[in-house]
Amino acid sequence: MEQKSRSSFSGRVGFVLAAAGSAVGLGNLWRFPYLAAQYGGGIFLLVYLILVVTFGFALMVTEIAIGRKTRLSCIGAYKALDKRFGFLGWIATLVPVIITPYYCVIGGWVMKYLFTFVTGQGMTAADNGGFFDSFIGFDAGSLTATMLDFSGPTPWFLLFVLATTVVVIFGVEKGIERASRFMMPILAVLAIFVAIYSLTIPGAMAGLKYYLLPDFSQFSLSTVLGALGQMFYSMSLAMGIMITYGSYMKKENLLEHSVTQIEVFDTLFAFVAGLMIIPAVVAFNGGDPSQINSGPGLMFVTLPMVFESMHFGEIIGAVFFLLVLFAALTSSISLMETIVSVVMDKTHMKRKPATLVVMVIILLVGIPSCLGYGPWAAIEIIGMQFLDFFDFISNSVLMPIVAVLTCILVGHVIGTKVIADEVKEGAGAFHREKMYHVMIRWIAPVLLVTILVSELLTKVFHLFSI
Ligand code: PHE
């Protein structure tokens, strides 16, 4: 029953745009640049690119194929492939439940910056971090006052969650497709423009070198884990999202080709975001890459300074943050959509009540991330603030686990042929089938387990040695 009533995208272009709309978001614009800056620049970029074209490709093909084959969202889909792997769907679903709330917190930061630029105060944000720190560190005294005060992050978070909820209530086709169709190309053009401008800032060349030329002495397993987590995050993998999207894809659409296109879109966006931010931040900090203090605030600290140094910076900044807001919304929509779709499948609730229930969960889980740099800054979980902790648990722990188990399920239980056959449907061929096979069966699982175990051990040792 449920399978027949499942709505679908209007065509392949619709599918690619919507999936790219999910993929391109804060992961590319906010997360990629600060991780690249933090993990050694060029070496991170190189490791990232290698992972995207090998493992990222294989995992995205797998997930879309699983969705299209089973026509179920991820919990049902894993179970349909093998009963014993039903739990995997639950872990995968847990990932968006953890990510969405803090994603909406960052979305709220974007709204705040948009508001600041639109109201002509953008230049006050160009003060090398002071504005940003007092924004996220805001504490109005009582909790209620903090929640309601627009100089702090909480009301912006609430607004962002509301905006996401409204689109999800209107359903797959209408909501998602329409929104992502026209915003993305404009964002791409503006990002390229800002990136080119950034490179003309005096001192930017040292940063460009840092970003593009790999320094192999900076390589470590943490670089790989960082790049891996970023790849999952940015390509919306290992969390059931591409399964859900695949379940809306028609059989006659070319799967492999679509994956290639989504990957290219997504990676280009991340690359350009790095170009906008990294050379500029190195330039603003005296030309020495080792001096940059990179963290989740990087984009919010650096971009206003770039805009300040531009003609019409206030206007360009406003337009830019508006587009970033749309990119963030298309992603948060897809995150929320995944959770809602599971709730609908499992409880037979209608879309509207299901969405409202999910909204309440997002609000509750998001509040700690919102307050974690401000009134609740004293609280730390394994040495991290709430937002960083949620980010770590999802990207560096749960997603690698989902990915390993998916590889084992496909590579050693149901066999890669099942996926390959699905890919060939509508296309006739699967060009990178051999690579796919080796990747899923051997390379990816071995790599993932090695990294995961070694990183977790390091963390544990580190914790106990303090
Ligand atoms: N991939 C999106 C981005 O890069 C974020 C996202 C993460 C979207 C997880 C859906 C799921 O911002």
Side-chain angles (χ1 to χ4, degrees):
M1 284 296 287
E2 186 271 338
Q3 306 192 357
K4 288 219 181 66
S5 64
R6 203 165 192 89
S7 45
S8 65
F9 290 107
S10 54
R12 200 178 74 82
V13 175
F15 174 79
V16 170
L17 282 178
S22 155
V24 174
L26 294 173
N28 312 59
L29 298 157
W30 158 74
R31 204 169 183 278
F32 180 84
Y34 92 73
L35 288 188
Q38 185 171 317
Y39 284 110
I43 188 69
F44 182 85
L45 183 63
L46 180 69
V47 172
Y48 183 76
L49 290 178
I50 294 174
L51 285 174
V52 166
V53 294
T54 54
F55 185 38
F57 168 80
L59 200 58
M60 189 177 270
V61 164
T62 305
E63 295 197 3
I64 295 180
I66 289 179
R68 195 174 71 171
K69 184 176 170 53
T70 59
R71 293 266 169 239
L72 293 167
S73 56
C74 81
I75 293 185
Y78 280 113
K79 205 159 132 206
L81 293 178
D82 189 296
K83 278 238 150 40
R84 293 163 300 170
F85 279 77
F87 74 95
L88 190 49
W90 287 104
I91 310 181
T93 304
L94 194 59
V95 176
V97 177
I98 296 176
I99 288 187
T100 316
Y102 84 78
Y103 199 89
C104 292
V105 173
I106 315 282
W109 295 0
V110 175
M111 277 188 160
K112 162 77 176 182
Y113 272 69
L114 171 61
F115 177 79
T116 306
F117 273 84
V118 167
T119 51
Q121 298 153 2
M123 296 314 147
T124 57
D127 62 351
N128 214 359
F131 179 90
F132 179 75
D133 289 341
S134 62
F135 167 55
I136 60 164
F138 198 78
D139 184 351
S142 79
L143 200 56
T144 334
T146 305
M147 303 270 267
L148 294 176
D149 198 309
F150 278 83
S151 359
T154 324
W156 301 102
F157 160 68
L158 301 180
L159 277 178
F160 189 88
V161 174
L162 265 183
T164 306
T165 307
V166 167
V167 181
V168 173
I169 283 182
F170 287 114
V172 180
E173 288 243 320
K174 277 182 275 162
I176 306 181
E177 244 183 277
R178 199 191 301 156
S180 49
R181 217 160 247 226
F182 60 99
M183 287 297 172
M184 310 262 301
I186 314 179
L187 178 62
V189 173
L190 190 63
I192 292 172
F193 170 79
V194 176
I196 293 173
Y197 175 82
S198 280
L199 293 177
T200 66
I201 298 173
M205 282 308 129
L208 183 66
K209 255 201 188 133
Y210 175 68
Y211 181 43
L212 295 184
L213 300 180
D215 171 359
F216 288 91
S217 69
Q218 300 245 14
F219 179 85
S220 71
L221 269 188
S222 341
T223 316
V224 185
L225 185 67
L228 192 74
Q230 173 58 20
M231 182 195 82
F232 293 140
Y233 190 97
S234 186
M235 293 171 63
S236 310
L237 295 173
M239 53 186 118
I241 290 198
M242 286 298 155
I243 299 186
T244 307
Y245 271 66
S247 75
Y248 298 131
M249 188 195 211
K250 291 188 181 144
K251 286 281 184 197
E252 63 268 24
N253 293 164
L254 306 179
L255 201 154
E256 186 178 12
H257 196 57
S258 303
V259 170
T260 310
Q261 283 181 337
I262 299 166
E263 254 185 350
V264 170
F265 266 133
D266 189 62
T267 307
L268 278 180
F269 259 102
F271 178 72
V272 173
L275 272 186
M276 281 191 315
I277 293 170
I278 296 174
V281 71
V282 172
F284 292 138
N285 286 283
D288 181 358
S290 64
Q291 290 310 303
I292 45 181
N293 174 11
S294 176
L298 189 66
M299 163 180 142
F300 296 93
V301 171
T302 309
L303 285 181
M305 292 166 72
V306 173
F307 296 133
E308 187 199 31
S309 70
M310 272 181 177
H311 291 299
F312 305 110
E314 193 96 35
I315 299 170
I316 296 172
V319 176
F320 184 82
F321 280 109
L322 179 70
L323 294 168
V324 174
L325 179 62
F326 268 89
L329 275 173
T330 50
S331 295
S332 64
I333 290 161
S334 114
L335 279 163
M336 190 171 185
E337 172 67 36
T338 309
I339 312 174
V340 169
S341 139
V342 169
V343 172
M344 281 162 60
D345 279 358
K346 286 292 136 191
T347 62
H348 303 288
M349 263 195 231
K350 291 240 162 37
R351 174 170 283 270
K352 208 166 173 186
T355 309
L356 292 176
V357 168
V358 172
M359 180 186 86
V360 172
I361 297 173
I362 293 175
L363 289 176
L364 290 179
V365 183
I367 291 288
S369 295
C370 228
L371 305 179
Y373 296 114
W376 290 3
I379 310 175
E380 286 191 352
I381 316 175
I382 51 169
M384 291 177 245
Q385 323 269 201
F386 281 105
L387 196 149
D388 303 83
F389 172 73
F390 287 129
D391 190 79
F392 170 77
I393 278 294
S394 46
N395 295 284
S396 302
V397 181
L398 288 178
M399 284 145 102
I401 291 176
V402 171
V404 177
L405 292 172
T406 306
C407 289
I408 294 173
L409 169 66
V410 171
H412 300 276
V413 180
I414 63 167
T416 52
K417 187 170 177 309
V418 176
I419 301 295
D421 287 346
E422 181 65 34
V423 174
K424 286 176 195 159
E425 243 192 86
F430 181 6
H431 299 291
R432 278 168 278 176
E433 184 171 352
K434 274 223 173 69
M435 187 272 270
Y436 175 80
H437 182 77
V438 180
M439 204 67 220
I440 292 287
R441 264 176 84 84
W442 305 113
I443 305 182
V446 171
L447 177 84
L448 281 166
V449 170
T450 313
I451 296 174
L452 197 59
V453 171
S454 88
E455 276 298 306
L456 285 183
L457 286 181
T458 318
K459 257 243 140 49
V460 171
F461 281 136
H462 191 70
L463 262 185
F464 287 107
S465 64
I466 295 174

